[in-house]
Each structure stands twice: as C-alpha cells, then as structure tokens.
Amino acid sequence: MAYTSGIRFPCMPSLYKSAQPGFNGDRRISSLSLFSKKDSFSRKISAGKSSYDHDTSHFKVAASGKVLVPGSQNDGSSSLTDQLETPEMVSEDSEVLLDAESLQMEDDERIEIDEQDHVSSSVASGDENAQSEEPSVPLQGKVSTKKSEAKTEVKPRSVPPPGTGQKIYEIDPTLARYREHLDYRYGQYKRLREEIDKCEGGLEVFSRGYEKLGFIRSDTGITYREWAPGAKSASLIGDFNNWNPNADIMTQNEFGVWEIFLPNNADGSPPVPHGSRVKIRMDTPSGIKDSIPAWIKFSVQAPGEIPYNGIYYDPPEEEKHVFQHPQPKRPKSLRIYEAHVGMSSTKPVINTYANFRDEVLPRIKRLGYNAVQLMAIQEHSYYASFGYHVTNFFAPSSRCGTPDDLKSLIDRAHELGLLVLMDIVHSHASNNVLDGLNMFDGTDSHYFHSGSRGYHWMWDSRLFNYGSWEVLRFLLSNARWWLDEYKFDGFRFDGVTSMMYTHHGLQVAFTGNYNEYFGFATDVDAVVYLLLVNDLIHGLFPEAVTVGEDVSGMPTFCIPVQDGGVGFDYRLHMAVADKWIELLKKRDEDWKMGDVIHTLTNRRWREKCVVYAESHDQALVGDKTIAFWLMDKDMYDFMALDRPSTPLVDRGIALHKMIRLITMGLGGEGYLNFMGNEFGHPEWIDFPRGDQRLPDGRVIPGNNNSYDKCRRRFDLGDADYLRYHGMQEFDQAMQHLDEKYGFMTSEHQYISRKDEGDRMIVFERGNLVFVFNFHWSNSYFDYRVGCMKPGKYKIVLDSDDSLFGGFNRLDHTAEYFSSEGWYDNRPRSFLIYAPSRTAVVYALVEDELEPVES
C-alpha cells in the first residue's frame, strides 16, 4: 500500500479511559467469557500512562461452569556500520504449555472442544467441581469424519508461555532508558496471555474462533453465530429460505452473540445448500440492515450487481482440494516474488488462480525465487484498492476462482518448493457498509474505534480497536485460518507503521530518535496485538515467516517476543526504494556513493530486513518504476535488438541492473521484486475505473474501465529479440547467484571502498567480492580491490555480459590471483578491469561453483 513520501502510516497510545460502553451500558465492566459483551478492558490514566483497571480484574465461575470476568538521540547503536557482521539471532528455550485439548483429556466428563462446545461455554477454569454445561446445539469443528480422524493423529500444538522480555536490553543497551515503557508493553502482553489462558483455555483455542462463529456444520445441521451486540434483533436470510426475514429468527445471548441452529432436511441433506447466498438481517441503531456474515468464507458479486453476497461454501468431499505436497522448510535466504493473481495475465483480463498456478508459478521457480507473496487475497469489493480495503477477511477473492482453486495454487507452489506468503491486512478495513465490517451491527464502535480515532483520513478506511477482546479473537483467528486452512507459509503484514502509532506515520519524518518510538504517540494496544499474533504464528507454525511493513524503524521489531521484541522475522526495508526514486530524479553524475551505502546498510543489528529496489508501490499510476525513470518513452521505440539503441536506453539498462544487484547484495537478508519489474516492465498499473464525481462537482476521469494497464506483459521479458529479455536474464542470474553462494545471509559483510571520485563501490559478502563502477564514462584498468581470503578469484556474475544486454567487455576465462599486503583495510587484494557502469561479482575458486550465466 502506498504511503506519502514512500511511507505507510499507523495510530496513538492507549492513554485514555475507554469510551466504548459495554452492551449493558456500563462503561466500567466488560466480560471475558467465550464472547465478551464489548471491550475486554477498561483503561484509566495513571502516572502518565494507561493501565488495566484493577477494580475489574477478578474472576468468578458461573453455575454453568463458565468463566466470567467483570469486566534520545540515535547514538548509532541501531544502525549498521560499513563493516557489518550479522550473527544469527539467539532465543532462549521456553517451556511449552499444554494446550486446551490435552488439558481436557484429563477430565473424561468434559466435552471435546472440537465436537460438542457451545457458544456460551468457555474452557473450564480448572476447578474440578465445575461442570461443563450441556450444549443445546451439538457443534462439530470438522465437516467429515475422515478429517476428524486425521486431526487426532496430529500432535497437539500449543503456544509457548511468555519469556522474561528482558533480552532486548542486552541486544540494545540504549533501550534501558525506555525500560518503563517497554516493560509496561510486555506486561500488557503477558497479562493478556494470562487472561486468555484463564478464560479461553489458551491462545491455541482462542485463535480457533472460526470453529465457533460463522457457519458451523455438524452431523445434525448447521449452526450460525454472529457477534453483534449493537443489534436489536437478527435473522438469517438467503436463497435457502427465499430471503424471508421471519423464517429463521436468531436469539441473542448475554455476550451479544446471535445464534440459530438449522436442522438437516428430512433426507439428511444440509439445510443450507452449498453455494447458497446468505446474509444476516439486523434491526440496528442505524436501521434495518442486511450484512454479509463477518466470518463468511466466500463472497461473490453477481454479474450486473453492485453489492456482494455471502456464499455458504461447503462443497462435496470429492470437489474439495486435498493437499498432496508438504510445505517447504523456511529457506535461510528469502527471495520473494511479489504477485497479484488478478493482474498476472498477459491479456487484459482478471486472471484466475488456476492460470496463475499453471503459467506463473513455473516462471517464478525458473527465475530463482523461493517464495511468492500473493497480494489481494482477502476479499475486497473495490478491485482498484489493490486488495488493501478488505471487506471479507476470511474469504479469498472470488474474482480469481473458488477457495479450492486457491488451495490448488498453493499446493502446486509447494510442489515446486516455493513458499507462499500472504499479504495480510490487519491494519485497517474497508469503510464499505454494505459488504464489510463497517457499521456491521449499526454502531461505528463494533470492530473499530469510534469517532475520528477509528477513521484513517488518508486511506478512507476504518481502524480496528485492538483493545477489544472480540477484535483480538477475530484477527488472531483470521491469521490462523489462512495458515491452517490454506497452508500459507507466512505473511507480509501490511501497514504496520499505521498500527503502531496514533499518528499513523502520517506527515511524520522518523529521525531515529528513540523518543519517537516509546512515547505517547505509540498505540500500545496495537503493538501488543502484534506481539500476540507473532507469538501465535511462531508458536503453532514454527516454519512460518512473518514480514512487517514498517517505515519507522521501530526498535525491537524483529526480535523474538519472548525476548521483549515485537516478534517479526523480517522488516520490509522501505527506505531503500524511496532513496532510489530520490536519486533517479538527479543525474547519476550527482549521486553520492556514501549516500547509497548509508541507505542500504542503515538497519538494526540482529534485526533482519527484506530489501527491494521497487515493489508494487512504484509501479502504480502516479509513480514510476525504475526502468521508466531511466528510459521513459524510449522503452516503446528502442528495445528491439534489430534497431539501434539510444544513449538513454544504454544508460537505463546498465543502471537498472546495477541498482538491483547492489540493493540485493548490500541491503538486507531477504529480497523482494514485484512481478514484471525484473525485466523493466514498460507499463504502469492502472486498475479499471470509471469517472469519479467529487462532492464539489468536480469529475476525476477514469479509464473507461479498461484492463489494458492491469496486466503483466511477460511476453516482453521472454522475447529474446527485445532488450527486456537481457534484463530478465540478469535478474534470474542474481537469484541463482544467491542460491549458490548464500551471500545475503552470510555473516561476513565488509565495505572496503566507496570512492566518490572514481565512483567505485567495493564490498565483500561471504566469499564474494562485489565491484560496482558507477562512473558514466571512465573505465579502469589494473584497478586494485581489497579482499579477505587468499587464492584465485573468478567472475561469477557480470552485468556487462552480452546475455544481459551489456557490451561484453570482460573476459570470463580470466583468473585473478590475490597478493599479500594491506589495501583498503583488507589483508590482500587483486587487480581487475572495471568497465564504466558495470557490476561484477568475483568468487573464490575454492568454492568450486560454476559461474552464474543464466
């Protein structure tokens, strides 16, 4: 998602007393049973910071057995120096808690949570005398007996208990000055973990809300439940009952949850057929309203209609996709191909999951990437939002196919050894009232903050209330749903900066001063949610990867939760792409080598980054890709090999390759590329849109709803008679170079030269020596470069190779022998020829690896 000045934006600290009343009108009390009446916590201002209201912190056990709860300047320690050593992150071993299922096995009289739980029953408090209430409606978490049997064979999963949260002070001693804030933050997280353990049976059970809410199929029928405390009445309507609001009226429990049980038909068939359209009709404070169920698993827009309809999705067993291939292990070096399924066709159409599976996935594998990051998966009614204005959080976008089609895509990716990451949006939600969560129960404070705090003025979207118990259940369950049901291998969390600060990062220039991160502008509730979701993901899915999109540089962002960090595996290094755009607005004669190096290496020690030269943001209308900045309209007329090139094209192709390689070589421990950018895609992205009329009468012209710019011309990169092909071949060679040598994750990194006069940059990463000559005209003979290890070096990647659209000025059979003696602060050196505007990588021959040519 795009940010002003290249950044994304988040929210403010919880230093207020909650203004959100409980369903019973009491602002002081909230309930934490299986469903809370409203917010989980009340806040009060004390000693300048928010804290729990201890007057409402005691528990009681109802007769039914339910658990009820009344309700500084940056001193440089955070940046890499030019000489960077990157040791592996170390985390303390932690004891593993038993999950709710194993606890329940100790009591034979307790019902099994997956088969016979009731919405108003929570996990027993541990009191041996407490009896579980007999459920009025049987509930099965799994549709088929076959699946239930398979589930029992799986080793129970659980989330390890919280750690001490103190290791962050060893990693970064500067943080000690902010111990009060950080310890408070971690204390809130631990308190939440404790209350979830007591009231819900643990985080593992709490995160399976999709087994209690929405449509739940059992042997005897279908139960539908919805949390909507603001509604006065509710009924389930749809094709199955001819949309009769009086046919299936729901009842509400004390926690604001509406419920109805529909028994099977006389012939044993389900009361709601697969594929039926369904909605919930509610009488709300805002009037009568038909809404798509919040936990719906599929949603479709019928041809010619504007609103979406929820779809009851429960195909026959023979139509369900059964995963055949195991999920790949997390690679040490992460190379991500960012992709949008809908716009992945060469034709001006919305592409399908099936076509992406068959046509695009093999391309990604061939290019050398080991992960694909899928955008716009969660259903969004507005296609041009790029998937960032989500309306149905548990439903995959129906534009591209069915849920089982998406599962087939992911299964095929796993067969190819590719991780599949999902671009997940938990930072905000669409303000669409008809199709989404906004005003779901007729109040603006249902899932979101009320008033201005719940509205993002730049994104025109709603902001979640991360201090609400049921919002936590919804979002944590959502993250788990995609990992459990669809076998995603992790997430790229969108807009995390917007979540972590009350100002959302809007019009804020982060300077690195720690006061910017640990003060009143921090939204502690949101940060604690991020700790919880990372805790959940890494606890239940140890191989899963989490990447956070944060432009602020929040310290501890990529340190494990048990050590006191936020818990992400990687930060998306957004500043690098912004720097390239800044430089591309100047002549390359005016670039400063030190400026390039500083931006690429300015990241926190022991916190891994995914770096990119450009992502989807730079490809949108209103911005320019690197290739477009460099070559502009010449890309349309002078990219064919059978006609002469131009100085602009020669310069553009040379710098395009150099920019991408130095970004990958020096900028992080992972690399990301948006589809098509690998070969310098000549067109921007413009989603189909009509004219837009503003309230003041002005009209913003559309593009006649054209799909012409909402596709990817892969055929241009594949055409060996076009210069795009050479750029694609070079990107492929970069990926295979890292696959063979693992330079991105090497602990050894040393920048030995950044010469402003010669325009030379030389650095080591692993056993590779990277040499960049950014000079526009000067080539250097017998140029000495430093190295660490003695021996014979050879060229393993050369941007000037004719295969890559270069001028073939280097002899790849040449051997380069090191000589003893200190040079550029290195113990040895060797002599090379460095042509102008080229990047060359040399490897120690002892590695016995073949040069990367294609």
Side-chain angles (χ1 to χ4, degrees):
M1 179 173 259
Y3 280 82
T4 298
S5 300
I7 61 174
R8 303 284 216 103
F9 311 127
C11 42
M12 213 160 176
S14 292
L15 306 179
Y16 66 104
K17 185 166 182 175
S18 174
Q20 305 237 15
F23 185 61
N24 61 358
D26 187 347
R27 294 175 181 267
R28 298 167 300 159
I29 299 176
S30 59
S31 180
L32 300 183
S33 184
L34 182 60
F35 298 94
S36 66
K37 295 182 180 177
K38 195 68 176 174
D39 295 338
S40 57
F41 309 117
S42 293
R43 309 288 190 193
K44 63 182 179 180
I45 298 176
S46 175
K49 62 182 181 181
S50 64
S51 63
Y52 284 95
D53 189 341
H54 297 291
D55 296 335
T56 64
S57 62
H58 32 273
F59 295 79
K60 62 180 180 180
V61 180
S64 64
K66 297 178 292 188
V67 180
L68 305 179
V69 183
S72 67
Q73 291 295 333
N74 189 342
D75 58 3
S77 61
S78 63
S79 301
L80 290 183
T81 61
D82 287 352
Q83 295 76 39
L84 174 69
E85 302 291 336
T86 315
E88 293 292 326
M89 295 177 65
V90 180
S91 59
E92 297 174 354
D93 291 331
S94 55
E95 207 176 315
V96 177
L97 288 175
L98 293 173
D99 67 1
E101 292 182 4
S102 59
L103 287 172
Q104 287 175 328
M105 290 173 64
E106 297 174 5
D107 188 345
D108 294 336
E109 295 180 0
R110 293 180 185 170
I111 58 176
E112 191 169 318
I113 198 149
D114 281 302
E115 295 182 357
Q116 292 184 332
D117 198 1
H118 189 261
V119 67
S120 59
S121 299
S122 183
V123 175
S125 63
D127 184 350
E128 295 179 358
N129 297 320
Q131 299 296 315
S132 296
E133 184 180 31
E134 182 68 21
S136 59
V137 180
L139 173 65
Q140 280 195 335
K142 301 294 175 183
V143 175
S144 68
T145 306
K146 178 181 177 181
K147 285 195 173 185
S148 297
E149 290 173 353
K151 184 177 185 300
T152 59
E153 297 172 2
V154 178
K155 183 179 179 181
R157 293 181 291 182
S158 60
V159 182
T164 62
Q166 299 297 300
K167 197 167 185 177
I168 53 174
Y169 305 116
E170 300 175 22
I171 296 171
D172 184 358
T174 310
L175 294 172
R177 286 181 286 173
Y178 303 90
R179 184 183 290 272
E180 183 179 8
H181 176 100
L182 290 164
D183 285 354
Y184 170 74
R185 181 179 86 179
Y186 202 72
Q188 297 293 75
Y189 151 74
K190 291 180 71 173
R191 188 188 303 273
L192 259 179
R193 283 290 309 269
E194 291 170 2
E195 293 184 356
I196 289 171
D197 287 347
K198 291 177 182 177
C199 303
E200 301 283 354
L203 201 55
E204 193 277 333
V205 177
F206 188 53
S207 63
R208 286 191 275 124
Y210 46 81
E211 295 181 358
K212 306 292 183 295
L213 286 147
F215 291 90
I216 310 299
R217 174 81 182 277
S218 69
D219 290 337
T220 56
I222 295 173
T223 302
Y224 169 59
R225 302 187 184 99
E226 197 73 69
W227 175 63
K232 303 171 187 177
S233 65
S235 61
L236 180 62
I237 57 176
D239 293 332
F240 72 99
N241 64 7
N242 295 317
W243 301 89
N244 182 357
N246 300 314
D248 295 294
I249 297 175
M250 304 176 71
T251 59
Q252 186 185 41
N253 70 10
E254 59 186 306
F255 305 112
V257 176
W258 296 89
E259 177 178 342
I260 188 169
F261 175 72
L262 305 175
N264 286 337
N265 297 322
D267 62 357
S269 62
V272 182
H274 163 61
S276 297
R277 296 175 298 169
V278 290
K279 285 191 175 182
I280 177 174
R281 173 164 293 184
M282 292 175 284
D283 182 4
T284 76
S286 302
I288 302 296
K289 181 177 186 289
D290 292 349
S291 296
I292 295 175
W295 299 70
I296 198 72
K297 305 306 188 296
F298 196 44
S299 178
V300 171
Q301 183 183 41
E305 293 185 3
I306 294 177
Y308 274 64
N309 281 292
I311 300 296
Y312 178 71
Y313 191 83
D314 184 21
E317 289 294 325
E318 61 270 15
E319 295 181 16
K320 295 181 180 179
H321 180 82
V322 178
F323 285 92
Q324 302 293 326
H325 305 284
Q327 294 176 248
K329 296 294 184 181
R330 181 197 304 197
K332 186 177 181 182
S333 179
L334 194 62
R335 301 185 300 277
I336 303 171
Y337 195 83
E338 184 183 36
H340 183 287
V341 173
M343 55 175 292
S344 63
S345 173
T346 58
K347 300 176 182 178
V349 296
I350 297 178
N351 205 12
T352 65
Y353 296 126
N355 285 342
F356 188 93
R357 174 197 65 206
D358 297 335
E359 298 172 6
V360 184
L361 285 179
R363 168 184 300 277
I364 297 170
K365 177 66 174 180
R366 184 177 70 252
L367 287 173
Y369 292 87
N370 55 25
V372 54
Q373 178 177 299
L374 295 182
M375 306 175 63
I377 291 298
Q378 294 167 293
E379 188 59 89
H380 47 292
S381 61
Y382 185 44
Y383 190 45
S385 73
F386 226 142
Y388 289 116
H389 282 208
V390 177
T391 46
N392 310 121
F393 282 77
F394 287 82
S397 178
S398 58
R399 292 179 181 89
C400 303
T402 69
D404 285 285
D405 290 338
L406 175 59
K407 291 177 182 178
S408 176
L409 183 162
I410 295 171
D411 202 14
R412 172 60 174 151
H414 291 162
E415 181 184 9
L416 293 172
L418 297 171
L419 266 64
V420 186
L421 306 181
M422 177 175 162
D423 196 349
I424 196 169
V425 184
H426 282 182
S427 51
H428 63 137
S430 171
N431 66 1
N432 183 324
V433 176
L434 287 177
D435 305 321
L437 296 179
N438 190 20
M439 302 290 291
F440 184 84
D441 68 349
T443 68
D444 77 334
S445 58
H446 185 199
Y447 282 94
F448 312 107
H449 288 293
S450 60
S452 60
R453 192 181 179 200
Y455 178 73
H456 197 296
W457 63 266
M458 178 172 282
W459 294 347
D460 189 26
S461 56
R462 296 304 311 272
L463 299 172
F464 287 106
N465 176 8
Y466 302 101
S468 165
W469 191 264
E470 292 305 321
V471 171
L472 289 179
R473 186 197 308 276
F474 182 83
L475 294 177
L476 290 170
S477 298
N478 186 243
R480 179 168 181 179
W481 168 255
W482 295 108
L483 297 174
D484 248 345
E485 183 71 14
Y486 287 87
K487 310 301 180 189
F488 276 97
D489 301 291
F491 301 109
R492 178 264 203 186
F493 278 83
D494 170 72
V496 175
T497 305
S498 181
M499 298 172 67
M500 295 192 298
Y501 307 96
T502 54
H503 52 60
H504 310 301
L506 294 170
Q507 300 172 333
V508 174
F510 291 97
T511 65
N513 187 321
Y514 277 28
N515 291 321
E516 297 167 346
Y517 308 114
F518 310 121
F520 292 125
T522 305
D523 188 329
V524 174
D525 286 342
V527 175
V528 168
Y529 166 70
L530 293 172
L531 268 69
L532 283 171
V533 73
N534 275 300
D535 210 11
L536 172 77
I537 292 168
H538 293 125
L540 298 182
F541 307 89
E543 291 295 316
V545 177
T546 60
V547 181
E549 185 199 32
D550 171 42
V551 72
S552 73
M554 165 70 80
T556 75
F557 193 75
C558 295
I559 293 176
V561 173
Q562 64 179 13
D563 296 335
V566 182
F568 286 99
D569 295 306
Y570 297 87
R571 183 202 310 276
L572 203 62
H573 200 348
M574 303 175 69
V576 173
D578 295 337
K579 173 58 67 175
W580 287 125
I581 298 302
E582 175 191 323
L583 292 176
L584 289 168
K585 294 177 181 179
K586 308 174 182 179
R587 304 180 310 159
D588 51 313
E589 291 89 334
D590 298 326
W591 295 3
K592 301 296 183 185
M593 300 299 98
D595 192 19
V596 172
I597 292 296
H598 173 74
T599 302
L600 289 170
T601 59
N602 185 22
R603 57 190 190 274
R604 297 186 182 280
W605 180 58
R606 297 181 79 173
E607 297 195 43
K608 294 187 289 187
C609 287
V610 170
V611 71
Y612 59 95
E614 52 187 347
S615 68
H616 67 274
D617 283 339
Q618 287 73 37
L620 289 166
V621 163
D623 208 334
K624 289 183 180 180
T625 62
I626 289 176
F628 228 114
W629 277 108
L630 290 168
M631 292 177 280
D632 204 63
K633 60 183 177 59
D634 279 18
M635 297 178 70
Y636 294 103
D637 300 319
F638 301 99
M639 296 298 280
L641 292 174
D642 62 354
R643 66 172 61 185
S645 182
T646 67
L648 196 63
V649 167
D650 289 341
R651 169 185 179 269
I653 292 177
L655 289 178
H656 191 272
K657 292 178 288 187
M658 296 179 72
I659 287 170
R660 303 180 84 75
L661 181 59
I662 197 171
T663 298
M664 185 179 186
L666 205 53
E669 292 73 31
Y671 180 77
L672 178 142
N673 166 71
F674 178 66
M675 62 179 187
N677 287 355
E678 69 271 13
F679 60 85
H681 198 285
E683 295 285 8
W684 51 84
I685 300 167
D686 190 12
F687 284 85
R689 51 192 172 84
D691 295 344
Q692 181 183 0
R693 293 188 177 275
L694 301 179
D696 60 7
R698 288 181 298 147
V699 176
I700 299 176
N703 60 11
N704 294 319
N705 292 305
S706 170
Y707 286 87
D708 187 61
K709 300 295 189 293
C710 196
R711 54 173 171 155
R712 295 282 91 178
R713 294 293 305 276
F714 293 119
D715 54 313
L716 299 178
D718 293 342
D720 57 9
Y721 54 86
L722 296 177
R723 291 184 168 88
Y724 296 110
H725 183 68
M727 299 162 74
Q728 177 171 282
E729 287 292 310
F730 183 76
D731 192 273
Q732 176 174 311
M734 287 198 319
Q735 310 311 317
H736 286 280
L737 183 73
D738 181 67
E739 177 67 22
K740 290 186 177 183
Y741 291 94
F743 61 85
M744 278 201 299
T745 53
S746 172
E747 295 183 2
H748 174 66
Q749 178 174 309
Y750 193 95
I751 300 165
S752 58
R753 176 167 287 247
K754 44 182 179 181
D755 192 310
E756 301 294 350
D758 292 345
R759 321 292 289 183
M760 293 287 294
I761 293 175
V762 181
F763 63 88
E764 302 163 15
R765 203 145 186 201
N767 283 346
L768 300 181
V769 178
F770 291 75
V771 179
F772 290 80
N773 181 0
F774 278 96
H775 203 284
W776 50 96
S777 61
N778 289 355
S779 299
Y780 304 106
F781 292 91
D782 291 336
Y783 198 87
R784 188 171 295 278
V785 297
C787 63
M788 182 178 68
K789 292 189 176 182
K792 181 173 66 175
Y793 288 80
K794 64 181 179 182
I795 294 174
V796 290
L797 183 60
D798 170 20
S799 70
D800 200 46
D801 192 318
S802 58
L803 176 64
F804 309 139
F807 296 99
N808 218 29
R809 288 171 284 180
L810 288 172
D811 180 2
H812 292 183
T813 64
E815 298 175 336
Y816 304 85
F817 294 89
S818 66
S819 58
E820 298 296 318
W822 287 88
Y823 186 79
D824 282 347
N825 206 31
R826 309 310 289 146
R828 298 163 188 91
S829 61
F830 56 92
L831 297 174
I832 63 166
Y833 170 45
S836 60
R837 283 188 179 142
T838 60
V840 184
V841 183
Y842 299 85
L844 205 58
V845 174
E846 69 175 17
D847 287 347
E848 294 182 353
L849 292 173
E850 291 300 316
V852 176
E853 296 291 352
S854 62

